[in-house]
């Protein structure tokens, strides 16, 4: 009896299996039907989109900022922890501003004595009788007048000073003379060389081997000098390729950087003067003892040779 029923049961079981839907099979030829990657986000105005390999100090340097300002503007609890895709504010929020380095002035009162001009200038109106020379208030030189040789001549004449020689027109056949290198930038910063060694490599913009500043030869322990007066805004080794680094802010627009030091002699927040020893030459994160020196304007590297005096 069982031998007769067995073929019947086998046929019935196979028929039942044939009616079930087959199990789904993923297509592995295309990677498992993964969703297409979302396009990279764009930074909002005034912000920077963090990329792989970025550090907060590098971002601050590239934007000409003090990294502490970036920390404050973005309410960062840990400046060493930023994430890829994070948007960081790199311009001051409304109502705040980047600290500007001001020149050091003496607190001692300055006695001003009027100097009588040799010949009274014809173009200067006399002061009212009630006005006192000692209490007369003036606008700063150049005050509200646009710059011109005529305005400059009037101001100097009013003060009893000599007329500017530039007011004399050159002879028609005079040839222009190349302007010599000067130590004053457009911000009025008085620059000086940060080290006395010879130039190894100059500023190279772009190309296969760019150099964002000057490489100056030196021996370990030789002095590194502040190239101009300012405030120390960074001391450390958090930027790859710079070794032990010092950054000085000179104005709202200008920073200078001193890399590869063996010893650093200043702290963040300290005011320094032009020519002050701030570090010692070394070979940190490089293959020889040297100073790598940069000047950055609005965060962008510029050729220091255009700002330093000829030597």
């Amino acid at each position: 009896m069982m031998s007769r029923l067995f073929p019947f049961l086998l046929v019935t079981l196979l028929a039942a299996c044939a009616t079930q839907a087959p199990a789904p099979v993923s297509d592995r030829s295309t990677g498992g039907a993964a969703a297409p990657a979302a396009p990279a986000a764009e930074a909002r105005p005034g912000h920077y989109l963090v990329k792989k390999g970025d550090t907060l100090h590098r971002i601050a340097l590239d934007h000409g900022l003090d990294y502490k300002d970036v920390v404050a503007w973005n309410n960062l609890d840990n400046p060493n922890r930023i994430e890829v895709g994070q948007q960081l504010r790199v311009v001051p929020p409304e109502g705040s501003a980047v600290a500007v380095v001001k020149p050091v002035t003496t607190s001692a009162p300055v006695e001003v004595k009027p100097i009588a001009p040799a010949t009274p200038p014809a173009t200067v109106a006399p002061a009212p009788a009630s006005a006192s020379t000692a209490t007369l208030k003036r606008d700063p030189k150049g005050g509200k007048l646009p710059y011109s040789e005529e305005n400059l001549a009037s101001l100097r004449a009013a003060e009893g000073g000599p007329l500017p020689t530039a007011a004399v027109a050159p002879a028609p056949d005079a040839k222009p003379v190349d302007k010599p290198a000067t130590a004053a930038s457009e911000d009025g910063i008085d620059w000086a060389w940060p080290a006395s060694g010879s130039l190894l490599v100059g500023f190279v913009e772009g190309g296969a081997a760019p150099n964002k500043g000057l490489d100056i030869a030196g021996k370990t322990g030789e002095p590194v000098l502040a190239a101009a007066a300012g405030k120390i805004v960074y001391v450390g080794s958090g930027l790859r390729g710079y070794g032990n680094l010092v950054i000085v802010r000179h104005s709202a627009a200008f920073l200078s950087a001193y890399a590869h030091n063996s010893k650093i002699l200043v702290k963040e927040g300290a005011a320094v003067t032009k020519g002050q020893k701030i570090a010692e030459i070394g070979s940190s994160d490089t293959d020889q003892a040297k100073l790598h020196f940069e000047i950055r304007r609005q965060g962008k590297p510029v050729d220091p040779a255009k700002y330093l005096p000829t030597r």
Side-chain angles (χ1 to χ4, degrees):
M1 182 71 176
M2 289 297 297
S3 61
R4 294 180 180 178
L5 291 175
F6 182 74
F8 175 76
L9 292 174
L10 181 60
V11 172
T12 303
L13 180 61
L14 291 174
C17 291
T19 60
Q20 295 180 358
V25 178
S26 61
D27 181 9
R28 300 184 182 275
S29 63
T30 60
E42 293 184 359
R44 301 192 302 274
H47 290 70
Y48 173 80
L49 190 67
V50 178
K51 302 178 179 62
K52 185 177 181 180
D54 279 341
T55 66
L56 187 69
H57 299 104
R58 170 74 70 175
I59 295 169
L61 177 62
D62 287 346
H63 289 82
L65 301 171
D66 184 340
Y67 79 96
K68 293 179 181 177
D69 288 334
V70 181
V71 170
W73 298 340
N74 294 277
N75 298 316
L76 299 178
D77 296 328
N78 185 355
N80 295 319
R81 183 178 180 181
I82 56 177
E83 299 177 357
V84 174
Q86 182 178 358
Q87 298 203 30
L88 296 177
R89 175 178 286 276
V90 290
V91 297
E94 186 176 354
S96 69
V98 178
V100 177
V101 179
K102 297 181 179 180
V104 179
T105 56
T106 177
S107 59
V110 179
E111 183 179 1
V112 179
K113 295 182 179 180
I115 301 175
T119 55
T123 58
V124 180
S130 60
S132 170
T133 304
T135 60
L136 183 62
K137 295 183 178 180
R138 298 178 183 271
D139 284 328
K141 291 185 178 181
K144 298 178 181 179
L145 297 175
Y147 177 82
S148 69
E149 298 299 342
E150 291 79 8
N151 288 336
L152 182 58
S154 298
L155 288 170
R156 291 192 177 181
E159 295 172 355
L163 294 178
T165 56
V168 180
D173 58 347
K175 296 181 180 180
V177 178
D178 291 338
K179 184 178 179 181
T182 177
S185 74
E186 57 263 41
D187 269 20
I189 300 171
D190 187 17
W191 296 98
W193 282 81
S196 58
S198 59
L199 185 64
L200 295 173
V201 182
F203 180 82
V204 180
E205 189 171 12
N211 191 34
K212 297 179 180 180
L214 305 179
D215 288 351
I216 303 172
K219 296 180 180 179
T220 300
E222 288 183 342
V224 174
L225 311 177
K231 177 183 176 182
I232 306 296
V233 295
Y234 178 75
V235 170
S237 56
L239 291 178
R240 185 171 58 251
Y242 286 83
N244 297 325
L245 175 67
V246 178
I247 299 177
V248 182
R249 175 180 290 283
H250 305 287
S251 69
F254 281 90
L255 299 173
S256 61
Y258 312 74
H260 307 312
N261 303 292
S262 61
K263 186 177 181 180
I264 295 176
L265 306 175
V266 290
K267 296 182 179 180
E268 289 182 11
V272 295
T273 58
K274 172 188 171 184
Q276 179 179 336
K277 183 178 178 180
I278 59 175
E280 294 180 356
I281 287 179
S283 57
S284 55
D285 211 0
T286 188
D287 56 355
Q288 69 177 101
K290 63 182 178 181
L291 170 65
H292 176 76
F293 173 69
E294 294 183 8
I295 294 179
R296 295 203 173 208
R297 185 179 186 277
Q298 302 290 359
K300 304 301 181 184
V302 293
D303 186 356
K306 295 180 178 180
Y307 295 86
L308 298 175
T310 303
R311 66 175 188 179

